[in-house]
Amino acid sequence: MDVLRLAGVPGVGKSAVAWAVAERLASDGVPTGYVDIDQLGMCYPAPSDDPDRWALKETALARLAVRFRDAGVERLVVSGVADPSQPPPASGFPTSSLWLDADEETRRRRLAPRRWEREQVDAALAAGTEEASTAHPAWQRLDTAHSTIEETVQAVIARPAGGAEVASDVVFPEEHATARVIWITGPRCAGASRVGWELARRQWVAGERTGFVDVAQLSFSWNADAVNGAEAAAVVQTVFAEVGAKALIVVAPFEVSPKDVRAAFPRPDVRFFRLDADDRTRRGHAVRRAEGADGASLAGDDLYGASADAIERIIATGARQRASSLRIGEILIGTPMSSTQPVVDEVAKRAGLSALPH
């Protein structure tokens, strides 16, 4: 397996380009995987010796890459930020490391859909210009400002990977296991992602070192065996536990069963929460998501920009999921349309998060 690494400052198009590259490789029949490294570092408060969590994310990526290799992936596409002052990190696999560039005007235009405040955009642009000007010369540079995504994709795929694969395997040290795993799922559009994120933020504000992962973002693969999402989450959990995380909050697709989760997390105390919402509430969530008004767009998001017909198909899928029986260990919690906070508080109470040591 080789790794295609795309980095750069906000607004250069790294996520859009990386996803398009993965889709192109997949359509060509290449066994392909995709991961956004930013999804591997959501553990706060950050370690004092790794305040930007560079080492945390790189460690998680190196371990997770083994899972993709074992699934038969031949090319793993990785997008996300990287430390600009350092040479491209080694992942243990032959790697093509590209730093994408774009001028400030282009980046401002590309950042517009994120609906940031003007001050936030200006700050990101200024910081990005500084980072790009000092990026380590070992990165291969690729300007995206005057190219279509299709042209950029072609240029990226043409870059050869360098280096050799280093024999490695995922290690699960017995002494490293978070005290608790809070697994949140539910039918489509019931609000699991929103509740999980707000629960994680609650812990971070309280100063409790806690990890957060979205299972769907850890297991994209095409033309290869499926990457086990629960096992991928367990890989990231060991990394977070090694820096002192006391809990891991996981949001996951309904299809991942508690049985698979228990197999992946044999040691931690796992609490399963299944959210529930009626069709009207879930449709409201779906419409807001389609309009881009309900959180950031993530890789593989089939709701972002979805048509009315597509939304109805997704709601129908959720209705079938909702009608299924509770699985062993699941705690059912209703999610009203009006407010997420009562649900967050209820999950926190039932998960016993307040009892975790400081």
Side-chain angles (χ1 to χ4, degrees), residues 34-285:
Y34 171 87
V35 65
D36 183 338
I37 196 171
D38 296 338
Q39 296 288 328
L40 308 182
M42 287 184 280
C43 183
Y44 301 95
S48 59
D49 59 349
D50 186 23
D52 293 314
R53 297 160 293 112
W54 300 124
L56 188 75
K57 288 183 278 192
E58 297 299 341
T59 300
L61 175 61
R63 294 187 189 178
L64 189 59
V66 176
R67 291 291 183 186
F68 282 93
R69 179 202 64 190
D70 292 347
V73 166
E74 294 180 3
R75 198 154 211 202
L76 177 61
V77 181
V78 179
S79 67
V81 298
D83 187 347
S85 67
Q86 299 298 314
S91 63
F93 297 91
T95 301
S96 176
S97 300
L98 305 182
W99 187 277
L100 305 187
D101 287 309
D103 56 57
E104 285 197 8
E105 181 181 349
T106 300
R107 286 184 281 129
R108 183 181 295 277
R109 185 175 67 253
R110 292 173 178 171
L111 289 172
R114 302 189 187 187
R115 302 187 179 187
W116 289 355
E117 296 293 335
R118 182 179 179 85
E119 293 78 8
Q120 186 179 6
V121 173
D122 290 343
L125 292 174
T129 298
E130 175 64 21
E131 285 187 7
S133 68
T134 59
H136 197 281
W139 287 94
Q140 301 179 60
R141 308 294 287 258
L142 181 63
D143 194 323
T144 67
H146 306 293
S147 302
T148 64
I149 282 191
E150 291 75 16
E151 291 169 338
T152 303
V153 165
Q154 193 59 42
V156 167
I157 291 175
R159 302 291 180 105
E165 182 172 338
V166 178
S168 62
D169 201 354
V170 175
V171 178
F172 295 92
E174 285 297 310
E175 68 272 21
H176 292 305
T178 52
R180 190 155 300 155
V181 175
I182 297 90
W183 194 275
I184 303 174
T185 189
R188 289 298 308 270
C189 304
S193 295
R194 184 185 307 103
V195 168
W197 180 253
E198 290 303 323
L199 183 62
R201 288 185 59 194
R202 173 187 182 276
Q203 295 299 101
W204 297 335
V205 169
E208 298 280 3
R209 184 164 294 159
T210 302
F212 173 87
V213 296
D214 181 337
V215 166
Q217 295 296 311
L218 305 182
S219 49
F220 291 115
S221 64
W222 300 264
N223 307 319
D225 292 340
V227 175
N228 185 304
E231 292 180 358
V235 169
V236 180
Q237 174 244 0
T238 63
V239 179
F240 291 171
E242 286 167 11
V243 298
K246 301 301 183 185
L248 177 72
I249 296 169
V250 183
V251 297
F254 186 81
E255 292 79 7
V256 183
S257 73
K259 180 180 178 180
D260 290 339
V261 176
R262 291 190 188 92
F265 293 89
R267 295 188 67 238
D269 173 15
V270 184
R271 307 288 179 92
F272 297 96
F273 296 93
R274 174 168 160 179
L275 305 188
D276 183 49
D278 59 26
D279 285 0
R280 177 175 174 271
T281 298
R282 291 186 300 104
R283 186 175 288 106
H285 291 164

Side-chain angles (χ1 to χ4, degrees), residues 4 6 16-26 32 77 152-153 156-157:
L4 181 53
L6 302 181
V17 170
W19 184 255
V21 166
E23 289 188 317
R24 171 75 66 82
L25 292 170
T32 303
V77 181
T152 303
V153 165
V156 167
I157 291 175

